[in-house]
Amino acid sequence: MSAGGQMAGTGGRRAQPRPQWRRHLGRVIASRPASVLIYFAVMFAIIATALKGAEAMGYNWQWYRIPRYFYDVTEGGIVLGEIPWGLVGTIALSATAFLLATVIGLIVALLRLSDLIVGRWVAQGFLEIVRNSPLLVLLYVFYYVFGPIFGLDRYSASVLCLAVFHGALISEIFRAGINAVAKGQWEAADAIGMTRWQVYRYIVLPQSVRFMLPPMTGEVVNMIKSSAIVSVIAVAELTTIGRNIISDTYMSFEIWFTIAAVYMVVTLIISTGATLLERRYTVRD
Amino acid sequence: MNPGASSIIELTGVSKYFGPFKALDDINLSVMTGERVVVCGPSGSGKSTMIRCINRLEEHDEGRIVVDGIELGEDTQNIRAVRQDVGMVFQQFNLFPHLTVLENLTIGPIRVRKMDKARAEALARQYLDRVHIPEQADKYPAQLSGGQQQRVAIARSLCMEPRIMLFDEPTSALDPEMINEVLDVMVELAGTGMTMVVVTHEMGFARKVADRMVFMEAGRMVEVAPPAKFFSSPDSDRARLFLDQILEH
Ligand SMILES: Nc1ncnc2c1ncn2[C@@H]1O[C@H](COP(=O)(O)OP(=O)(O)OP(=O)(O)O)[C@@H](O)[C@H]1O
Ligand SMILES: [Mg+2]
C-alpha cells in the first residue's frame, strides 16, 4: 500500500494522484486491526452460511454434548475423554513414524549422494515408487499385502507406511541441506583425513541443520495431518475416534468441526514453536 | 639438492582429464624431504589440479603418485594415511564455521588421530602461538580477519603434525595489508624444515624460500629451475613472458 502511495506521488504527471480519502482508506484497510476485523467478518460469513444451510436441512445441533468427549467430571476427579485420548494416539503415531522417517530419509539421502552405484539406484527407485503412489494406496499395500506377508498388525503397518512416505520427502530435505554446505568444507575435512562418515557427522550435517530446520518442521505438521489416513484401517487415533463417536451419535457436523479444530490447534502450536526456534538459530549466525 | 635425501613426493607421468579436457599432461616431479617447491603459471594451467592430486582431492587418470612411500590409488585406507601426513591450505581458508578456532584445530587430532581432548587442546594452543594468534582461540572463524583466518587454517593443518604442507594460492583471497602476516608465518614454517609445495604468485616469497621453481602452462611443467636461474634467465619464452607480466605490477 505504501508503495502505491509513493507511485501516486512520483508519477503524478501521468496519472492523476489518487484522492486523499482513497489513499487513506487503503492504509486503514492494510492496518493490523482492520485485517483482523476483515478476517473475522469473512469467517463469520462462512460459518453463518454453513449454519443457515444446516438449518435449512433441519440439522439438529447438539454442541452441548461435545465437552464430555474432552473431559468428564466424576467422583474420582476429572478424567480425559475420548478426543484427548485420540489426540494422544495421533501424536504417538506421528512421533514414532517421524523418527523412523528421519532415519529412512537420512539413509536414502546418504545413499543417493554416495559413490555406490547400486546404492544410488536403490535410493532412486525407492523415491520414484513412493513419490508416485497415493498415500492411501501405499497404506493398503502395507496393511493388506505386507501385513499378512510380514505379520504386521494395523499399528505397525500404519507407522511403517507413514514413515516410508514421509521418509521419501525427508530424504529430499536432507539432500538439499547437505548440498547447501560449501564444497570447500568437504575438501578441508577430507584433507585432514576424515572418513566419509566423520565428514558427515562432524562437519556437514551440523552445518546443514540450519537449512533443514524450516522444511523439517513443515514435515512434522504434514505428518500429523496425513496420519489421519490410518483411520481407514481403524487404528486408534483422533480421526478414528471422530468416526466412532459419529457412528454412535450421528453428530457429524459438531464432531468434524471439533476434530478439525483440534488438528489446527496442534499444528498451529508446532508452527509457532518452529518459527521461534528458527529465529533463535538465525540470531546465532 | 642433497643427492642422499629421499624423495617424499613422487609424480611420474601423471595426467588428468576433466571430460575430454586434459588438465594435467605428463607431469613428472619429485620433491625431496625438506624441500620447498614453488609452483607458478598462468590461470588455468593446472597448478591447483596438480597440487590437489598430491592429497587426492583430485584423482589422476594416468601415471603414478607416491607420497611418503604410499601410492595413491583406489584404496581409501591409503588415501587417508596420506592425507594425515599432508596438510593443505586453501585459497578460501575453508575453516569450519560452526566450530570455534580451538575446535577447528582439535577436531582433526581428536577424531582422526584419536588424541585425547586435553592433549589436542594443548597442541592447538601451541600452534596458535606459532601463527601469532593465541588470543583468538574461543572465537568463531567469521569473527576473524582474512589474514587471521588463513593463519588459523595453517595452524589447523599443522595440528595434524604433517610431514608435507601444500598451499594453493594461500594469499590471493586476502586484502593486500594482510598478505604479509600470512607469508611471514609460511617463511617461519619453511625455517623449521617442513617440506612445502606452494602455488603462489608472490615472487618475493618464492625468492626467499623456494629451493626450486616450477612453471606450468596448459597442464604441462614447462620449466623447473632453482629460483636464482628462474628469475634471472628462464629457459622458456613462456616463463619469461609470464615473469615480465607478473613482475610489472
Ligand atoms: N572440476 C573441474 N571440472 C572441469 N574442469 C576443471 C575442473 N577443475 C579444473 N578444471 C579445468 O582445468 C584447468 C586447470 O585448472 P586449475 O584450477 O588446476 O588451474 P590453476 O592453474 O590452478 O588456475 P588458477 O590460477 O586460476 O587457480 C582449467 O582449465 C580448469 O577450467
Ligand atoms: Mg588454482
Side-chain angles (χ1 to χ4, degrees):
Chain A
M1 266 298 129
S2 66
Q6 268 169 17
M7 257 164 53
T10 52
R13 205 163 54 87
R14 259 187 311 145
Q16 281 295 317
R18 280 193 291 170
Q20 189 76 21
W21 68 268
R22 280 190 55 183
R23 255 191 287 170
H24 229 78
L25 186 66
R27 218 164 286 153
V28 169
I29 289 176
S31 72
R32 185 174 293 238
S35 306
V36 172
L37 265 175
I38 292 169
Y39 175 78
F40 277 110
V42 171
M43 290 306 278
F44 179 80
I46 292 172
I47 291 170
T49 316
L51 289 181
K52 207 140 180 202
E55 200 181 335
M57 59 184 270
Y59 190 81
N60 175 26
W61 291 98
Q62 304 177 64
W63 282 108
Y64 67 92
R65 291 174 66 187
I66 295 299
R68 96 163 88 116
Y69 293 107
F70 280 91
Y71 61 90
D72 219 350
V73 185
T74 63
E75 307 101 62
I78 296 176
V79 287
L80 289 183
E82 288 176 72
I83 289 178
W85 280 119
L87 181 58
V88 168
T90 286
I91 289 174
L93 177 71
S94 306
T96 317
F98 194 82
L99 281 182
L100 207 56
T102 307
V103 174
I104 292 174
L106 185 60
I107 292 171
V108 172
L110 294 184
L111 276 180
R112 276 192 83 186
L113 294 167
S114 75
D115 302 329
L116 304 168
I117 293 175
V118 178
R120 287 208 300 265
W121 283 356
V122 168
Q124 194 69 41
F126 168 83
L127 283 180
E128 291 305 334
I129 292 171
V130 173
R131 269 199 304 227
N132 294 303
S133 315
L135 177 55
L136 185 58
V137 172
L138 212 58
L139 181 65
Y140 285 152
V141 169
F142 269 83
Y143 184 52
Y144 292 113
V145 180
F146 296 163
I149 296 177
F150 300 109
L152 300 175
D153 59 14
R154 293 164 194 280
Y155 195 77
S156 332
S158 304
V159 168
L160 284 178
C161 168
L162 289 170
V164 161
F165 187 77
H166 287 270
L169 302 171
I170 288 175
S171 81
E172 287 295 295
I173 296 175
F174 272 111
R175 196 170 72 106
I178 288 167
N179 280 336
V181 174
K183 198 162 143 270
Q185 294 293 307
W186 283 95
E187 296 185 346
D190 282 345
I192 55 177
M194 285 191 173
T195 62
R196 176 64 66 93
W197 172 242
Q198 287 175 325
V199 181
Y200 273 122
R201 166 77 181 75
Y202 299 112
I203 307 301
V204 173
L205 289 177
Q207 290 186 63
S208 43
V209 166
R210 184 159 67 101
F211 304 111
M212 298 181 324
L213 210 53
M216 280 297 260
T217 51
E219 252 340 272
V220 174
V221 168
N222 284 342
M223 173 68 88
I224 288 176
K225 290 191 294 186
S226 60
S227 73
I229 204 160
V230 306
S231 64
V232 301
I233 57 170
V235 170
E237 49 73 64
L238 192 50
T239 305
T240 308
I241 295 285
R243 287 167 68 128
N244 292 348
I245 298 175
I246 290 167
S247 66
D248 291 345
T249 62
Y250 302 103
M251 297 191 292
S252 45
F253 286 21
E254 296 88 331
I255 292 295
W256 285 134
F257 274 131
T258 308
I259 298 287
V262 172
Y263 274 112
M264 213 169 86
V265 167
V266 171
T267 52
L268 278 179
I269 290 173
I270 291 171
S271 316
T272 314
T275 312
L276 295 178
L277 196 71
E278 278 158 34
R279 213 170 286 162
R280 275 270 277 290
Y281 261 78
T282 36
V283 167
R284 228 193 60 185
D285 225 31
Chain B
M1 270 130 280
N2 176 358
S6 58
S7 76
I8 193 167
I9 305 172
E10 190 83 55
L11 282 74
T12 322
V14 171
S15 295
K16 159 86 188 163
Y17 297 83
F18 289 112
F21 176 73
K22 198 166 192 180
L24 291 183
D25 188 358
D26 190 26
I27 299 287
N28 292 285
L29 176 70
S30 147
V31 179
M32 301 292 141
T33 305
E35 193 183 9
R36 270 90 53 163
V37 174
V38 168
V39 182
C40 61
S43 179
S45 57
K47 308 179 297 292
S48 297
T49 307
M50 181 187 71
I51 201 174
R52 287 158 60 86
C53 279
I54 297 174
N55 66 351
R56 210 169 168 84
L57 287 184
E58 301 287 357
E59 297 173 12
H60 58 287
D61 296 309
E62 291 161 14
R64 281 164 53 98
I65 300 179
V66 180
V67 180
D68 210 4
I70 302 171
E71 171 153 15
L72 287 173
E74 291 301 321
D75 188 325
T76 50
Q77 295 287 342
N78 279 358
I79 294 171
R80 256 183 289 122
V82 166
R83 284 173 175 172
Q84 289 179 39
D85 270 353
V86 180
M88 179 141 197
V89 175
F90 301 87
Q91 184 175 349
Q92 300 296 341
F93 328 138
N94 295 351
L95 292 176
F96 304 130
H98 61 302
L99 302 179
T100 64
V101 166
L102 197 66
E103 288 165 342
N104 264 277
L105 268 59
T106 56
I107 192 154
I110 292 175
R111 300 300 170 191
V112 179
R113 292 249 189 250
K114 312 291 178 201
M115 196 181 279
D116 67 65
K117 193 165 174 236
R119 267 192 63 207
E121 288 188 354
L123 186 73
R125 289 189 192 280
Q126 175 193 327
Y127 281 111
L128 277 182
D129 262 345
R130 276 267 290 276
V131 300
H132 314 300
I133 35 176
E135 71 286 356
Q136 311 289 3
D138 298 319
K139 290 201 177 152
Y140 283 89
Q143 297 171 291
L144 304 184
S145 73
Q148 291 173 325
Q149 289 190 46
Q150 192 61 300
R151 286 184 282 151
V152 171
I154 293 172
R156 175 176 66 182
S157 292
L158 292 177
C159 279
M160 291 297 290
E161 315 215 279
R163 301 194 57 208
I164 302 165
M165 285 286 286
L166 308 176
F167 295 82
D168 189 359
E169 305 206 32
T171 57
S172 30
L174 295 176
D175 293 335
E177 72 271 19
M178 294 173 186
I179 290 178
N180 278 329
E181 64 191 54
V182 172
L183 291 180
D184 288 347
V185 165
M186 289 168 63
V187 171
E188 287 164 24
L189 184 62
T192 67
M194 175 72 75
T195 307
M196 293 165 70
V197 179
V198 184
V199 176
T200 186
H201 291 161
E202 293 295 334
M203 290 305 149
F205 169 81
R207 275 207 174 90
K208 202 181 299 178
V209 162
D211 296 311
R212 256 192 309 166
M213 296 297 298
V214 170
F215 175 72
M216 291 186 68
E217 174 162 77
R220 307 186 62 93
M221 280 176 36
V222 174
E223 182 149 359
V224 182
K229 172 156 191 331
F230 182 77
F231 287 111
S232 58
S233 54
D235 287 332
S236 65
D237 295 340
R238 307 296 317 179
R240 193 170 305 129
L241 205 67
F242 175 78
L243 281 175
D244 285 348
Q245 277 172 358
I246 200 170
L247 295 177
E248 233 166 53
H249 301 296

PDB file of all heavy atoms in Angstrom, chain B residues 18 21 23 42-49 169, ligand 1:
ATOM      1  N   PHE B  18      39.551 -33.657 -17.352  1.00  0.00           N
ATOM      2  CA  PHE B  18      38.183 -33.290 -16.956  1.00  0.00           C
ATOM      3  C   PHE B  18      37.347 -33.498 -18.211  1.00  0.00           C
ATOM      4  O   PHE B  18      37.368 -32.656 -19.111  1.00  0.00           O
ATOM      5  CB  PHE B  18      38.094 -31.838 -16.492  1.00  0.00           C
ATOM      6  CG  PHE B  18      38.753 -31.598 -15.165  1.00  0.00           C
ATOM      7  CD1 PHE B  18      39.905 -30.838 -15.069  1.00  0.00           C
ATOM      8  CD2 PHE B  18      38.214 -32.149 -14.007  1.00  0.00           C
ATOM      9  CE1 PHE B  18      40.504 -30.615 -13.838  1.00  0.00           C
ATOM     10  CE2 PHE B  18      38.811 -31.928 -12.774  1.00  0.00           C
ATOM     11  CZ  PHE B  18      39.959 -31.172 -12.690  1.00  0.00           C
ATOM     12  N   PHE B  21      38.900 -32.736 -21.655  1.00  0.00           N
ATOM     13  CA  PHE B  21      39.939 -31.717 -21.474  1.00  0.00           C
ATOM     14  C   PHE B  21      41.088 -32.257 -20.629  1.00  0.00           C
ATOM     15  O   PHE B  21      40.882 -32.784 -19.532  1.00  0.00           O
ATOM     16  CB  PHE B  21      39.319 -30.490 -20.803  1.00  0.00           C
ATOM     17  CG  PHE B  21      40.315 -29.413 -20.478  1.00  0.00           C
ATOM     18  CD1 PHE B  21      40.853 -28.638 -21.488  1.00  0.00           C
ATOM     19  CD2 PHE B  21      40.710 -29.201 -19.168  1.00  0.00           C
ATOM     20  CE1 PHE B  21      41.771 -27.655 -21.183  1.00  0.00           C
ATOM     21  CE2 PHE B  21      41.638 -28.215 -18.869  1.00  0.00           C
ATOM     22  CZ  PHE B  21      42.165 -27.442 -19.886  1.00  0.00           C
ATOM     23  N   ALA B  23      43.760 -31.661 -18.245  1.00  0.00           N
ATOM     24  CA  ALA B  23      44.172 -30.600 -17.320  1.00  0.00           C
ATOM     25  C   ALA B  23      45.607 -30.783 -16.865  1.00  0.00           C
ATOM     26  O   ALA B  23      46.301 -29.814 -16.561  1.00  0.00           O
ATOM     27  CB  ALA B  23      43.235 -30.568 -16.112  1.00  0.00           C
ATOM     28  N   PRO B  42      50.250 -19.349 -15.491  1.00  0.00           N
ATOM     29  CA  PRO B  42      49.014 -18.596 -15.747  1.00  0.00           C
ATOM     30  C   PRO B  42      47.773 -19.314 -15.235  1.00  0.00           C
ATOM     31  O   PRO B  42      47.813 -20.514 -14.958  1.00  0.00           O
ATOM     32  CB  PRO B  42      48.978 -18.454 -17.269  1.00  0.00           C
ATOM     33  CG  PRO B  42      49.933 -19.461 -17.785  1.00  0.00           C
ATOM     34  CD  PRO B  42      50.936 -19.736 -16.726  1.00  0.00           C
ATOM     35  N   SER B  43      46.700 -18.577 -15.139  1.00  0.00           N
ATOM     36  CA  SER B  43      45.435 -19.134 -14.675  1.00  0.00           C
ATOM     37  C   SER B  43      44.979 -20.256 -15.605  1.00  0.00           C
ATOM     38  O   SER B  43      45.086 -20.141 -16.824  1.00  0.00           O
ATOM     39  CB  SER B  43      44.386 -18.028 -14.633  1.00  0.00           C
ATOM     40  OG  SER B  43      43.169 -18.560 -14.201  1.00  0.00           O
ATOM     41  N   GLY B  44      44.526 -21.355 -15.002  1.00  0.00           N
ATOM     42  CA  GLY B  44      44.041 -22.477 -15.802  1.00  0.00           C
ATOM     43  C   GLY B  44      45.135 -23.404 -16.269  1.00  0.00           C
ATOM     44  O   GLY B  44      44.882 -24.332 -17.041  1.00  0.00           O
ATOM     45  N   SER B  45      46.370 -23.198 -15.790  1.00  0.00           N
ATOM     46  CA  SER B  45      47.471 -24.029 -16.277  1.00  0.00           C
ATOM     47  C   SER B  45      47.552 -25.367 -15.553  1.00  0.00           C
ATOM     48  O   SER B  45      48.355 -26.217 -15.929  1.00  0.00           O
ATOM     49  CB  SER B  45      48.795 -23.271 -16.140  1.00  0.00           C
ATOM     50  OG  SER B  45      48.981 -22.893 -14.789  1.00  0.00           O
ATOM     51  N   GLY B  46      46.739 -25.560 -14.511  1.00  0.00           N
ATOM     52  CA  GLY B  46      46.722 -26.860 -13.838  1.00  0.00           C
ATOM     53  C   GLY B  46      47.460 -26.895 -12.515  1.00  0.00           C
ATOM     54  O   GLY B  46      47.681 -27.968 -11.947  1.00  0.00           O
ATOM     55  N   LYS B  47      47.828 -25.725 -11.980  1.00  0.00           N
ATOM     56  CA  LYS B  47      48.558 -25.689 -10.716  1.00  0.00           C
ATOM     57  C   LYS B  47      47.739 -26.302  -9.587  1.00  0.00           C
ATOM     58  O   LYS B  47      48.218 -27.169  -8.850  1.00  0.00           O
ATOM     59  CB  LYS B  47      48.916 -24.235 -10.345  1.00  0.00           C
ATOM     60  CG  LYS B  47      49.619 -23.484 -11.453  1.00  0.00           C
ATOM     61  CD  LYS B  47      49.940 -22.053 -11.063  1.00  0.00           C
ATOM     62  CE  LYS B  47      48.735 -21.176 -10.779  1.00  0.00           C
ATOM     63  NZ  LYS B  47      47.914 -20.870 -11.976  1.00  0.00           N
ATOM     64  N   SER B  48      46.489 -25.832  -9.452  1.00  0.00           N
ATOM     65  CA  SER B  48      45.632 -26.370  -8.396  1.00  0.00           C
ATOM     66  C   SER B  48      45.408 -27.863  -8.609  1.00  0.00           C
ATOM     67  O   SER B  48      45.470 -28.648  -7.668  1.00  0.00           O
ATOM     68  CB  SER B  48      44.283 -25.670  -8.378  1.00  0.00           C
ATOM     69  OG  SER B  48      44.451 -24.313  -8.091  1.00  0.00           O
ATOM     70  N   THR B  49      45.130 -28.219  -9.840  1.00  0.00           N
ATOM     71  CA  THR B  49      44.844 -29.627 -10.123  1.00  0.00           C
ATOM     72  C   THR B  49      46.024 -30.500  -9.705  1.00  0.00           C
ATOM     73  O   THR B  49      45.838 -31.541  -9.075  1.00  0.00           O
ATOM     74  CB  THR B  49      44.540 -29.809 -11.621  1.00  0.00           C
ATOM     75  OG1 THR B  49      43.519 -28.886 -11.989  1.00  0.00           O
ATOM     76  CG2 THR B  49      44.073 -31.221 -11.903  1.00  0.00           C
ATOM     77  N   GLU B 169      47.581 -21.087  -3.497  1.00  0.00           N
ATOM     78  CA  GLU B 169      47.356 -19.637  -3.508  1.00  0.00           C
ATOM     79  C   GLU B 169      46.811 -19.136  -2.171  1.00  0.00           C
ATOM     80  O   GLU B 169      45.718 -18.569  -2.111  1.00  0.00           O
ATOM     81  CB  GLU B 169      46.402 -19.260  -4.644  1.00  0.00           C
ATOM     82  CG  GLU B 169      46.908 -19.758  -5.995  1.00  0.00           C
ATOM     83  CD  GLU B 169      46.407 -18.927  -7.159  1.00  0.00           C
ATOM     84  OE1 GLU B 169      46.209 -17.717  -6.968  1.00  0.00           O
ATOM     85  OE2 GLU B 169      46.240 -19.492  -8.249  1.00  0.00           O
TER      86      GLU B 169
HETATM   87  N1  LIG C   1      36.231 -29.777 -11.615  1.00  0.00           N
HETATM   88  C1  LIG C   1      36.581 -29.389 -12.848  1.00  0.00           C
HETATM   89  N2  LIG C   1      35.834 -29.699 -13.909  1.00  0.00           N
HETATM   90  C2  LIG C   1      36.165 -29.320 -15.153  1.00  0.00           C
HETATM   91  N3  LIG C   1      37.269 -28.610 -15.436  1.00  0.00           N
HETATM   92  C3  LIG C   1      38.065 -28.255 -14.424  1.00  0.00           C
HETATM   93  C4  LIG C   1      37.767 -28.621 -13.083  1.00  0.00           C
HETATM   94  N4  LIG C   1      38.730 -28.134 -12.274  1.00  0.00           N
HETATM   95  C5  LIG C   1      39.589 -27.500 -13.088  1.00  0.00           C
HETATM   96  N5  LIG C   1      39.202 -27.570 -14.372  1.00  0.00           N
HETATM   97  C6  LIG C   1      39.902 -27.008 -15.528  1.00  0.00           C
HETATM   98  O1  LIG C   1      41.213 -27.491 -15.509  1.00  0.00           O
HETATM   99  C7  LIG C   1      42.131 -26.468 -15.859  1.00  0.00           C
HETATM  100  C8  LIG C   1      43.164 -26.316 -14.778  1.00  0.00           C
HETATM  101  O2  LIG C   1      42.524 -25.796 -13.628  1.00  0.00           O
HETATM  102  P1  LIG C   1      43.316 -25.414 -12.338  1.00  0.00           P
HETATM  103  O3  LIG C   1      42.327 -24.974 -11.339  1.00  0.00           O
HETATM  104  O4  LIG C   1      44.209 -26.519 -11.943  1.00  0.00           O
HETATM  105  O5  LIG C   1      44.179 -24.184 -12.834  1.00  0.00           O
HETATM  106  P2  LIG C   1      45.096 -23.223 -11.993  1.00  0.00           P
HETATM  107  O6  LIG C   1      46.411 -23.260 -12.635  1.00  0.00           O
HETATM  108  O7  LIG C   1      45.019 -23.558 -10.554  1.00  0.00           O
HETATM  109  O8  LIG C   1      44.441 -21.821 -12.283  1.00  0.00           O
HETATM  110  P3  LIG C   1      44.175 -20.582 -11.285  1.00  0.00           P
HETATM  111  O9  LIG C   1      45.430 -19.777 -11.261  1.00  0.00           O
HETATM  112  O10 LIG C   1      43.072 -19.842 -11.948  1.00  0.00           O
HETATM  113  O11 LIG C   1      43.813 -21.127  -9.950  1.00  0.00           O
HETATM  114  C9  LIG C   1      41.306 -25.216 -16.087  1.00  0.00           C
HETATM  115  O12 LIG C   1      41.133 -25.035 -17.480  1.00  0.00           O
HETATM  116  C10 LIG C   1      40.005 -25.503 -15.430  1.00  0.00           C
HETATM  117  O13 LIG C   1      38.961 -24.884 -16.136  1.00  0.00           O
END
